[in-house]
Amino acid sequence: MSAERNADIGIEDHRPRTARTDTSTEPTEPTGTIGATGTTGTSAKGANGDAARGAAVTPARASASVRADGDTDVDADGDAAAGFDLRHHGDAEVRGNSGEYVDLAVNVRTDTPPAWLKARIAASLDGLAAYPDGRAARHAVAARHGLPDERVLLTAGAAEAFVLLARALPVRRPVVVHPQFTEPEAALRDAGHRVERVVLDERDGFRLRPERVPDDADLVVIGNPTNPTSVLHPAEGLARLARPGRTLVVDEAFMDAVPGERESLAARTDIPGLVVLRSLTKTWGLAGLRIGYVLAAAETIAGLERAQPLWPVSSPALTAAEACCAPPALTEAAEAAERIAADREHLLSRLAEFDAISVAGPAAGPFLLVRLAGAATVRERLRADGFAVRRGDTFPGLGPDWLRIAVRDRATTDRFAEALAKALTEG
């Protein structure tokens, strides 16, 4: 498939090429978002407004990005990863934080893990002399989703699952739907795959248009609800992406923060090639423990399991997985999801006080994606005032005018709103 053909259908083509030899100075960070006109833009009327958007990146390979309107922007000599730090994540905003920042950058629920879960994990330490045995945890996860055990693979967080998929699946044309969590693309690229992107459009609310995914893509990766846009795609729209010969990966790392887990595909066994990823990190505060899982057909699970090292998940993490899938924990998680939804509405109402800010949406996750001119400067002013938010310009399809803000309790949101008002009026 030629780069020209890929440009015609609106896909970013990451085909290795000989490095450029010119020494001209070019920016290494994007200066706008991928745009409706192929030009660079730095402001917007709103998340669904009419302002043009654009991107400027340092190219190293041929790339073309497709937008939801079907038009194509082309960087003829460019690598779409240049300018997007795919390995930058929210924890970088607060790494080493000893309490000087209120963390609105990482999407882990506050005041977690709960005391009962800490106690269960601590009790498991008495068994550290034995090698991990994942059978009970695997059965608990399977029962939680009404699936047989052979459709479950426990992993050291969802990030390991992306690596396993990239290394174990014999894919020829992987496509990642952006903006979204960047580890799937990073893992695919590290495994030597040429990754293509379908970039959803701000003017369309970052909604999925299944027809924009090329028919011959044999791996499609999408998040639901999507990080960082917080958009919840309809389950049936996602199911339309499935077809024989294609692996459809749906990252549901934040689905347990959605009341009722509506639009989840986790329990579906009728969709060909479906792979659902889940994480226990966000709701239960287990980022340092590393526990997640894959739900897929038995043959897919077996192939991924063969690519895993022995004993990939620790005994404490297995204990946590089993505990978090028990009925009392599921009830607690459901109640937390309802509180997050109410707290998100409060955050939305406070952000609506600022004419300079537009919010992507409608939002369904425990975070909001916002756009404002001069976001990088505002972010630094917020840090100086003790609040850390997540920069958005490392997500393909976004640019320097975007920030991601985690949903917190109302008191924290009110203090943040005061700091934001100050940051917007300084200078």
Side-chain angles (χ1 to χ4, degrees), residues 49 62 69 80 83 151 182 218 279 329 339 347 357 380 382:
D69 59 10
R151 292 187 68 98
T182 53
D218 58 354
S279 170
R339 288 195 301 272
L347 176 57
I357 294 177
E380 289 304 319
L382 286 169

Side-chain angles (χ1 to χ4, degrees), residues 1 9 14 45 117 124 154 195 206 254 260 281 318 386 392 396 412:
M1 180 76 65
I9 62 175
H14 293 201
K45 296 286 285 184
L117 182 53
S124 75
L154 297 162
V195 182
F206 296 111
F254 292 99
T281 292
L318 293 171
T412 300

Side-chain angles (χ1 to χ4, degrees), residues 227-245:
N227 172 21
T229 65
S230 204
V231 170
L232 184 67
H233 302 295
E236 289 311 309
L238 294 172
R240 285 179 54 197
L241 292 173
R243 62 204 59 203

Side-chain angles (χ1 to χ4, degrees), residues 4 11 17 25 32 38 93 100 135 193 215 255 281 295 320 383 398 407 420:
E4 291 79 7
I11 298 296
R17 296 208 177 175
T25 301
E93 310 282 356
E100 66 266 37
R135 289 175 296 177
H193 295 287
D215 289 339
M255 187 60 78
T281 292
L295 307 174
R383 288 182 71 83
L398 301 182
V407 172
L420 180 58

Side-chain angles (χ1 to χ4, degrees), residues 8-54:
D8 289 342
I9 62 175
I11 298 296
E12 289 190 351
D13 183 1
H14 293 201
R15 190 187 306 274
R17 296 208 177 175
T18 303
R20 291 171 48 181
T21 57
D22 68 326
T23 58
S24 60
T25 301
E26 297 181 54
T28 58
E29 294 282 324
T31 57
T33 54
I34 296 174
T37 63
T39 59
T40 299
T42 56
S43 64
K45 296 286 285 184
N48 297 309
D50 297 325
R53 300 181 297 132

Side-chain angles (χ1 to χ4, degrees), residues 137-150:
R138 187 179 195 178
H139 181 72
V141 171
R144 182 246 197 273
H145 294 288
L147 297 170
D149 291 8
E150 59 266 25

Side-chain angles (χ1 to χ4, degrees), residues 78-419:
D79 176 359
F84 294 106
D85 181 358
L86 301 181
R87 284 279 157 72
H88 180 93
H89 301 297
D91 64 305
E93 310 282 356
V94 292
R95 196 172 292 141
N97 182 16
S98 58
E100 66 266 37
Y101 300 121
V102 175
D103 181 7
L104 306 181
V106 176
N107 296 318
V108 173
R109 186 163 63 102
T110 55
D111 300 322
T112 56
W116 65 263
L117 182 53
K118 290 179 183 178
R120 286 285 299 273
I121 294 170
S124 75
L125 299 181
D126 290 339
L128 287 184
Y131 286 97
D133 182 352
R135 289 175 296 177
R138 187 179 195 178
H139 181 72
V141 171
R144 182 246 197 273
H145 294 288
L147 297 170
D149 291 8
E150 59 266 25
R151 292 187 68 98
V152 175
L153 180 67
L154 297 162
T155 60
E160 187 205 4
F162 290 125
V163 172
L164 294 175
L165 290 164
R167 295 178 178 177
L169 297 181
V171 299
R172 300 178 307 278
R173 192 176 188 188
V175 170
V176 178
V177 180
H178 283 290
Q180 78 148 334
F181 184 51
T182 53
E183 276 303 306
E185 178 173 329
L188 285 163
R189 291 169 63 87
D190 286 348
H193 295 287
R194 184 190 69 191
V195 182
E196 303 174 66
R197 295 174 181 160
V198 172
V199 181
L200 305 184
D201 199 322
E202 170 200 357
R203 300 168 304 165
D204 197 29
F206 296 111
R207 291 175 176 82
L208 172 67
R209 300 301 179 196
E211 65 274 11
R212 296 303 174 195
V213 176
D215 289 339
D216 61 345
D218 58 354
L219 173 65
V220 177
V221 184
I222 187 169
N224 202 42
T226 301
N227 172 21
T229 65
S230 204
V231 170
L232 184 67
H233 302 295
E236 289 311 309
L238 294 172
R240 285 179 54 197
L241 292 173
R243 62 204 59 203
R246 170 183 289 175
T247 300
L248 170 61
V249 178
V250 182
D251 176 10
E252 292 192 357
F254 292 99
M255 187 60 78
D256 58 357
V258 176
E261 297 193 5
R262 63 188 191 276
E263 314 303 344
S264 173
L265 296 178
R268 296 281 294 269
T269 60
D270 60 320
I271 300 174
L274 176 64
V275 175
V276 173
L277 306 187
R278 284 290 186 108
S279 170
L280 298 174
T281 292
K282 315 305 191 277
T283 290
W284 297 109
L286 299 175
L289 197 59
R290 310 309 305 142
I291 179 65
Y293 53 89
V294 182
L295 307 174
E299 58 270 24
T300 300
I301 294 296
L304 296 177
E305 192 169 18
R306 286 192 294 271
Q308 274 187 314
L310 289 172
W311 311 295
V313 181
S314 70
S315 295
L318 293 171
T319 295
E322 184 178 1
C324 292
C325 288
L330 297 180
T331 298
E332 182 176 329
E335 292 171 351
E338 294 289 350
R339 288 195 301 272
I340 289 168
D343 289 339
R344 185 179 60 243
E345 289 304 310
H346 183 66
L347 176 57
L348 281 165
S349 70
R350 295 307 309 266
L351 292 174
E353 299 171 9
F354 304 101
D355 292 338
I357 294 177
S358 59
V359 182
F367 48 86
L368 295 176
L369 179 66
V370 304
R371 185 172 188 175
L372 67 157
T377 299
V378 171
R379 172 173 157 269
E380 289 304 319
R381 290 172 180 169
L382 286 169
R383 288 182 71 83
D385 216 9
F387 289 88
V389 297
R390 209 290 196 185
R391 57 189 282 200
D393 61 349
T394 63
F395 293 100
L398 301 182
D401 289 345
W402 294 93
L403 298 172
R404 192 191 68 196
I405 305 170
V407 172
R408 299 293 186 238
D409 62 88
R410 293 189 174 209
T412 300
T413 291
D414 288 341
R415 288 190 290 116
F416 169 70
E418 294 176 6

